[in-house]
Amino acid sequence: MNNSKAILIGSDHAGYALKEFVKAYLTELQLPVEDCGVNSEASVDYSDIGLQVAQKISDDTGRRGILICGTGIGMSIAANRIKSVRAALCNDLFSAAMSRRHNDANLLVMGGRVIGTELAKEIVRVWLDTAFEGGRHQRRIEKLDR
Ligand code: RB5
């Protein structure tokens, strides 16, 4: 990944354990991370963190983020309400690659209660390393912001 801006990361209580794991993995890769919480497994509303992280990406579209809740569904729904955010729920490697190649996803969402740590690591690696193909896909994503 060619981006020196810190990767935003956030979760609710159900995604907390996987968030901590992914954060450690990103640090191991020497990638800067900005942790937007939560900081424990105390119950919170996924919408709060999801909207907050998505807004940061909307304010600076060069940034990328990772959100984790129990299924990944709530975080995806929340984040995709924010303009210019393309949040992709990827609990498998094919979706992770395609969300970058075709959708230029700027937010990766995973389900902490759906996938294990090793798969999550691979998903993150593939998602960060896969480039957007542009071309006809550029036209399609531009229509979303109009
Ligand atoms: C929390 O129990 C759970 O509902 C949340 O993490 C998420 O899966 C919602 O979509």
Side-chain angles (χ1 to χ4, degrees), residues 12-15 46 69-75 113:
D12 70 355
H13 53 289
Y46 61 80
C69 63
T71 57
I73 296 170
M75 285 294 194
R113 291 174 175 165

Side-chain angles (χ1 to χ4, degrees), residues 64 86-110 119-134 137 141:
R64 291 222 216 156
R86 293 176 301 280
L89 173 54
C90 302
N91 287 320
D92 66 273
L93 292 167
F94 180 71
S95 301
M98 294 307 288
S99 78
R100 290 288 314 130
R101 288 172 56 189
H102 284 195
N103 311 109
D104 198 18
N106 46 19
L107 237 172
L108 168 66
V109 187
M110 295 181 288
L119 178 55
K121 242 160 105 165
E122 282 300 289
I123 288 171
V124 167
R125 192 183 56 74
V126 164
W127 190 75
L128 291 175
D129 285 349
T130 305
F132 179 47
E133 287 176 5
H137 303 296
I141 65 171

